[in-house]
Amino acid sequence: MIANQILLLLTLSMLGPSNAMPFTPGNIGKLFGMEGDGRILQRSKRGWMWNQFFLLEEYTGNDHQYVGKLHSNMDKGNGNVRYVLTGDGAGTLFLIDEKSGDIHATKRLDREEKAMYTLNAKVLDRNTNAELEPDTEFNIKIHDINDNAPKFSKEIYFASVPEMSDVGTTVVTITASDADDQTYGNSAKLVYSILQGQPYFSVDSENGTIKTALPGMDREVKEHYQVVIQAKDMAGQMGGLSGTTTVSITLSDVNDSPPRFANHSFRVTTPESTEVGGAIGRIKADDPDVGRNAEMEYSIVGGHDIFNIVTDQKTQEGVIVIKKVLDYETKKDYEFRVEVRNTYLDARFIHGLQFKDYATVRVTVEDVDEPPVFTRNPYVIEVHEDTAAGSFVGVVSARDLDADRKAVKYSIDRHTDLERLFNIDSTNGTITTLKALDREMSKWHNISVVATEINNPGQTTRVPVFIKVLDVNDNAPEFATSYDTFVCENVKAGQLIQTISAVDTDEPQVGHKFVFTISPTNPNFTVVDREDNTANILTRRGGFSRREMSMYFLPVVISDNDYPIQSSTSTLVVRVCACDSRGNMQSCSPEVLPFSEGLTTGALVAILLCVIILLMIVVLFAALRRQRKKEPLIISKEDVRDNVVSYNDEGGGEEDTQAFDIGTLRNPEVMDANKLRRDIIPEMLFPFRRTSPIKDNTDVRDFINGRLQENDSDPTAPPYDSLATYAYEGNGSLAESLSSLESAATEGDHDYDYLSHWGPQFKKLAEMYIGKSPERET
């Protein structure tokens, strides 16, 4: 076995490469605390090489740093051995002398970048490149030096601590880091100290915890603090490296300050016209706290009937509002006491302090010119109908509540009295009638009375006045409906033929009570009152005959029981009809009377012949008219043809009076005002409404337009689903008709000179016809 030996040179930071010295196995063991017999350098198969080198980082020499030396027993010093280095950094970071085996580092080594390098060494024959020894692996370990200063993760830290905290209250813990080796020496052992922030805060030198150092720190006095903390390595010894950071500490608020009024007396002025719920002023207390600790609540001590105070949550002000209407004439000045207190209290500070304060508020009410006020609102007045114009209805009264008591005048809003039925005295408010009132036209009249200050017309007040029209018995009862009554020819005496009832537009307080009577001398019918505002019509005799009398007119007198008694006579039409044995009507038309016994058969034959002769004459006359040749309407050499349009739709003429009465149109003065339409029977009967009188010289067109306007504005007029056409033809033309239908049937000479006198419109027509005249052609 070949004996191998290796020499290791360690270069210290205070020694240069010239001071490097070779070491034998014995002194190498002494340097690293090993035994001096060199046993650690021996290996079972090859003991020629040391397996680990040590090197200090950050060498500052100018030459390459000497690391160590490789030497093999195969090297006889004749230059036949060549050393080769491979592995981490070989050839770049670490270089080896092929002849001598010296290893050098080419640049500074930083332990914080890499703490150990693993290399392989080879021994080759320079001539043959054959390996003289097997490859051997060894490590180069970099020893740490204090070349890194402590660093904080942030340049500035933010922290907070409640004000008034006890001494030693933890604020925040901050730590620094050191990149040096934590396990080797004191290069990474840090010590913390405070450079700025005393005497308010302190720092734990070992763990960097910042604590309060001064009692009673008040946020209201000083809120923000800047504390500078230093971290130094080498356990704080001189020559160590250090780093600093800034900690911004804020004192958080606690409720240690009660609210206080800067001024304990407030004065508020408000007009008396301020509405209920309106704000009249604000007051505010001061609280140096912030947030929830500064929230306040205001209240009136003992409460108040007129005023209340509420808290504005945004501004923390007390808002004074009105609970009831103010009246300057009743009371002008008010005074009350207001309390303010914090809504949130801190139990640590309530001892010995009153967290509430008081202030006095004085309210002065200012006078405002107010509108007049009515003594009642609304007014309800009753008046009898048919009261004469100018009659007294009632009185309204209003007064000015202001101190100067200004005079008031009254008026009626005519928009509420379009028919001008009422008048009011402008000075005393007395309401009178301008026209007679009719309860059957309107039971209530709702008008609006306006009271205005004479010296200030802008101050007005309205009040509704409801006028109830009381009933007066001024309408007579009448049939409730139109009756269709018949009596059978074979009826017996005492037979019921009709039950009648009545209506009355009046409304007596005790209700209606109608009395039905007919002439006691009537031989045919009698009436029996049923005591329920109806009556039965009975036959007084039997055996009616249509040949003797087909229709009877029975006048019935209907009276009411109110004062004054009103009565009317309604006529019941009774037809005589043929009935079966059960009394069912069969026919009401009168029968054809038989011929007189004195009329002989010869007379009847003569009458029949006369009728036949008359018929033959009519037929012959019709046949002659058909054979008659029709002459042309216009006979002209020019054969002028006109288009003749035939209109065969002949109206009903004067017999067609269902839609309207032409006689009424031509003579409006004789119109029956209470006449119902005959084309449609209304479903409801409305009381008769008088229309405006017709002037003597009223034109038909004006009459139609007037009646149309009245019906459109009449609220009681039912919407009859019927259409009536009123045609009004204007005055005739001066030129009369130009139709050729009225021209003479025969050719004759016509003088058309009159056409030239009709104006420019007929100039062309005159030239045409005058130019064609035979005389002019000649």
Side-chain angles (χ1 to χ4, degrees), residues 455-682:
N455 296 333
N456 188 3
Q459 296 294 340
T460 62
T461 303
R462 295 173 175 267
V463 67
V465 179
F466 304 114
I467 301 176
K468 181 179 181 180
V469 182
L470 302 179
D471 185 44
V472 173
N473 192 28
D474 57 349
N475 292 279
E478 56 186 11
F479 278 155
T481 184
S482 178
Y483 296 101
D484 184 13
T485 307
F486 69 93
V487 62
C488 297
E489 289 182 311
N490 55 355
V491 70
K492 297 181 180 180
Q495 185 72 38
L496 173 65
I497 62 173
Q498 185 67 60
T499 298
I500 59 176
S501 61
V503 293
D504 193 341
T505 55
D506 294 324
E507 291 183 359
Q509 296 181 355
V510 297
H512 289 293
K513 177 61 180 175
F514 301 127
V515 178
F516 302 88
T517 59
I518 62 175
S519 174
T521 59
N522 191 310
N524 301 313
F525 306 99
T526 185
V527 62
V528 176
D529 197 334
R530 300 178 60 182
E531 304 295 333
D532 60 354
N533 292 335
T534 62
N536 292 334
I537 304 298
L538 307 177
T539 57
R540 188 185 288 266
R541 64 180 180 86
F544 290 86
S545 175
R546 285 180 292 165
R547 289 186 297 174
E548 295 179 359
M549 181 70 71
S550 61
M551 190 177 298
Y552 291 88
F553 297 94
L554 180 62
V556 179
V557 178
I558 308 174
S559 304
D560 57 23
N561 64 332
D562 205 354
Y563 180 82
I565 296 176
Q566 299 288 339
S567 62
S568 66
T569 301
S570 299
T571 302
L572 182 66
V573 179
V574 182
R575 295 180 297 159
V576 181
C577 302
C579 303
D580 57 14
S581 59
R582 296 181 179 179
N584 297 323
M585 180 180 64
Q586 293 181 339
S587 175
C588 291
S589 59
E591 297 179 354
V592 179
L593 296 177
F595 294 104
S596 176
E597 296 180 357
L599 192 59
T600 61
T601 303
L604 294 176
V605 172
I607 293 173
L608 183 59
L609 289 176
C610 292
V611 172
I612 294 174
I613 293 172
L614 290 175
L615 291 175
M616 292 176 63
I617 294 174
V618 171
V619 172
L620 180 61
F621 181 75
L624 291 176
R625 288 183 60 87
R626 289 181 181 179
Q627 295 177 0
R628 190 173 173 184
K629 184 179 180 180
K630 296 183 179 179
E631 297 180 356
L633 294 175
I634 298 177
I635 300 175
S636 174
K637 295 179 180 180
E638 300 293 335
D639 193 15
V640 178
R641 300 177 182 271
D642 288 345
N643 292 328
V644 179
V645 180
S646 176
Y647 297 92
N648 295 325
D649 186 7
E650 183 179 0
E654 295 181 355
E655 297 299 328
D656 185 9
T657 59
Q658 294 301 317
F660 60 92
D661 191 351
I662 194 65
T664 302
L665 289 177
R666 298 303 181 187
N667 190 9
E669 298 179 359
V670 299
M671 187 184 91
D672 186 2
N674 199 21
K675 186 175 182 181
L676 295 176
R677 293 172 55 137
R678 290 175 290 173
D679 53 340
I680 289 179
I681 299 177

Side-chain angles (χ1 to χ4, degrees), residues 22 92 97 147 213 233 253 270 277 306 311 314 391 433 435 452 465 504 595 621 656 669 672 682-684 712 719 740:
T92 57
D97 190 333
D147 59 344
D233 58 10
D253 184 60
T270 180
I306 306 299
T311 304
K314 293 183 179 180
S391 300
T433 58
K435 299 178 182 178
T452 306
V465 179
D504 193 341
F595 294 104
F621 181 75
D656 185 9
E669 298 179 359
D672 186 2
E683 296 179 358
M684 299 177 60
D712 287 343
S740 60

Side-chain angles (χ1 to χ4, degrees), residues 301-367:
V301 179
H304 202 278
D305 296 336
I306 306 299
F307 302 98
N308 189 21
I309 187 168
V310 295
T311 304
D312 188 334
Q313 298 298 333
K314 293 183 179 180
T315 62
Q316 294 300 312
E317 294 177 318
V319 183
I320 303 173
V321 296
I322 297 178
K323 294 168 57 177
K324 294 182 180 180
V325 178
L326 301 176
D327 189 4
Y328 172 82
E329 289 73 27
T330 303
K331 190 173 183 180
K332 304 177 183 178
D333 297 300
Y334 297 89
E335 181 177 326
F336 50 87
R337 198 178 184 202
V338 174
E339 177 188 87
V340 61
R341 62 172 62 204
N342 283 129
T343 57
Y344 169 76
L345 298 178
D346 194 330
R348 296 176 298 172
F349 305 104
I350 60 177
H351 302 289
L353 288 176
Q354 289 290 333
F355 279 80
K356 56 185 177 180
D357 199 9
Y358 299 92
T360 301
V361 178
R362 294 177 176 83
V363 180
T364 301
V365 181
E366 294 180 340
D367 187 24

Side-chain angles (χ1 to χ4, degrees), residues 383-393 420-423 431-438 469 472:
V383 61
H384 286 86
E385 65 174 329
D386 294 339
T387 301
S391 300
F392 172 80
V393 175
R420 301 185 69 86
L421 299 176
F422 304 95
N423 189 28
I431 302 175
T432 57
T433 58
L434 289 176
K435 299 178 182 178
L437 305 179
D438 189 357
V469 182
V472 173

